[in-house]
Amino acid sequence: MSKNLTKKILVTGATGQIGSELVPELKKIYGKENVVLGIHKRKNVDDLEDSPSTVIDVTNKNLIEDAVQEFDIDTIYHLAAILSAAGEKDPWLAWKVNIDGTYNVLEVAREKKLVKVFCPSSIAAFGPDTPRVNTPQITVMNPKTMYGLSKVTGELLANYYFYKFNVDVRGLRYPGIISNKTLPGGGTTDYAVEIFYEAIKNKKYVCFLKSDTVLPMMYMPDCIKATLNLMDAEIQSLRYHSDYNVAAMSFSPDDLFKEILKIIPDFKIYYNPDHRQKIADSWPQSLDDSSARKDWGWKPDFTLSEMVKDMINVLSKKITI
Ligand code: AKB
């Protein structure tokens, strides 16, 4: 169980929102030939050109085993998942992908004696009985969505594999992640990405959450930093494994709107809350991440206003109106 042994990495969900930005960073650190993209369905993605890739359905353990064997993998970043809103539409699929998929990855890690595994959790692991402000590292969970339930199960299972089988598995409770490369899909925090595209393209956005719904969020560069720093941390310093709270910023749609307005003064927002409001209302508003700060030096770089400036700057160049 040593960080120095990571030589060949498999990333499941490699072309998703987080995967598409984590993969280039991993390639910089480990070399492009040493990062294998596990993709569910083949797509035309720039990153596929210079890295090995393989089709992986995480519900099929044989495919994970074959990939580990073929590419001599020693570390897996397991990012493939069905998010909260999509999971409520098809809870059966969410169970299969999130629970069976994580179990399969952990089993392969145990059998093949992998060096390390990253299995992310989410703020969705908490529920309406959880203290919502400054949510502690250890507290009541009781999530009400299938996604949340699968994330708590994943945390518990991963911790079990650590203590029972010595599998070095680590994970973060990701807040809503804001990014400008690949769109998220099927999440409750997706509004915080969509809003930028609509503000730049159409100068108006209809938000599916209420104006005062505060949720924890994080800009992608901080998400990548947190992921890599946790995976790089000395194992002796970790008091937790698959379930670290990490925080960067908390805001409501109205807070975000006001910040965008400073740069796009004719932007308008309208509110039409839908089924995702109930999910958001069951999640924390802010997290206590003092354990992550103490154990492996976590500290975010981006504030709300810095994130908004950067998002608008990058997307304005990318979006042709
Ligand atoms: C979602 O909204 O489902 C995700 C998450 C918070 O895990 N972005």
Side-chain angles (χ1 to χ4, degrees):
M1 294 208 301
S2 156
K3 67 172 183 163
N4 299 322
L5 292 176
T6 287
K7 290 196 184 87
K8 201 91 194 255
I9 297 167
L10 172 68
V11 182
T12 72
T15 56
Q17 187 199 12
I18 297 175
S20 61
E21 301 211 33
L22 181 65
V23 163
E25 290 308 311
L26 291 172
K27 285 201 230 172
K28 273 187 219 155
I29 301 167
Y30 295 96
K32 59 185 184 198
E33 64 289 353
N34 294 320
V35 182
V36 179
L37 283 73
I39 47 178
H40 185 214
K41 289 180 189 124
R42 279 208 184 277
K43 342 182 185 175
N44 284 333
V45 182
D46 302 345
D47 290 321
L48 295 189
E49 283 168 18
D50 60 356
S51 271
S53 66
T54 184
V55 173
I56 289 208
D57 170 357
V58 292
T59 66
N60 183 338
K61 182 168 168 254
N62 292 336
L63 291 178
I64 308 170
E65 259 163 10
D66 292 349
V68 166
Q69 189 75 30
E70 181 184 344
F71 296 100
D72 202 15
I73 298 295
D74 54 59
T75 297
I76 298 180
Y77 285 76
H78 174 43
L79 302 180
I82 304 290
L83 298 186
S84 56
E88 289 314 284
K89 282 211 180 107
D90 192 343
W92 304 274
L93 181 68
W95 175 280
K96 275 184 72 169
V97 173
N98 297 356
I99 294 187
D100 294 352
T102 300
Y103 173 74
N104 288 339
V105 167
L106 291 171
E107 268 296 273
V108 172
R110 179 184 69 81
E111 286 166 8
K112 304 276 183 194
K113 300 195 173 10
L114 298 192
V115 173
K116 267 182 215 171
V117 183
F118 181 75
C119 281
S121 184
S122 158
I123 53 166
F126 299 110
D129 305 323
T130 304
R132 294 192 72 201
V133 176
N134 212 23
T135 300
Q137 172 70 37
I138 298 181
T139 185
V140 177
M141 308 296 283
N142 280 345
K144 298 295 178 222
T145 61
M146 180 56 89
Y147 175 62
L149 183 161
S150 71
K151 286 294 164 187
V152 177
T153 308
E155 286 183 6
L156 295 172
L157 196 62
N159 284 338
Y160 181 82
Y161 271 67
F162 176 79
Y163 288 108
K164 178 86 179 170
F165 302 122
N166 269 349
V167 177
D168 185 354
V169 48
R170 305 176 184 199
L172 303 163
R173 290 175 178 145
Y174 283 142
I177 305 296
I178 299 155
S179 64
N180 48 48
K181 187 171 177 190
T182 304
L183 284 166
T188 302
T189 57
D190 292 8
Y191 92 83
V193 179
E194 287 170 11
I195 193 170
F196 287 98
Y197 286 81
E198 294 306 311
I200 294 166
K201 274 197 287 195
N202 302 320
K203 307 261 189 287
K204 66 173 196 301
Y205 178 62
V206 183
C207 185
F208 58 75
L209 295 182
K210 287 190 209 153
S211 65
D212 60 353
T213 310
V214 175
L215 289 170
M217 300 277 184
M218 183 180 281
Y219 197 28
M220 185 61 93
D222 278 331
C223 169
I224 301 299
K225 179 171 116 166
T227 305
L228 295 174
N229 286 0
L230 174 62
M231 285 297 268
D232 221 22
E234 292 295 340
I235 189 111
Q236 297 82 352
S237 64
L238 302 181
R239 283 173 297 159
Y240 304 96
H241 293 280
S242 58
D243 46 8
Y244 271 100
N245 279 3
V246 275
M249 57 184 93
S250 283
F251 58 77
S252 68
D254 186 51
D255 298 329
L256 182 55
F257 165 68
K258 287 184 177 136
E259 211 52 54
I260 296 174
L261 212 53
K262 290 181 190 165
I263 306 174
I264 307 177
D266 49 349
F267 177 44
K268 297 211 163 19
I269 192 161
Y270 305 93
Y271 293 97
N272 187 15
D274 66 13
H275 57 280
R276 288 168 279 195
Q277 184 65 47
K278 197 171 157 211
I279 300 176
D281 287 342
S282 74
W283 288 354
Q285 296 185 330
S286 58
L287 301 178
D288 171 6
D289 63 355
S290 51
S291 296
R293 287 174 187 257
K294 184 163 184 263
D295 293 2
W296 46 276
W298 164 241
K299 194 172 170 294
D301 291 326
F302 283 84
T303 61
L304 170 60
S305 68
E306 287 164 341
M307 176 275 286
V308 168
K309 276 189 209 125
D310 200 56
M311 280 294 281
I312 295 179
N313 184 25
V314 175
L315 285 179
S316 303
K317 291 177 196 142
K318 198 167 130 180
I319 296 171
T320 41
I321 303 165

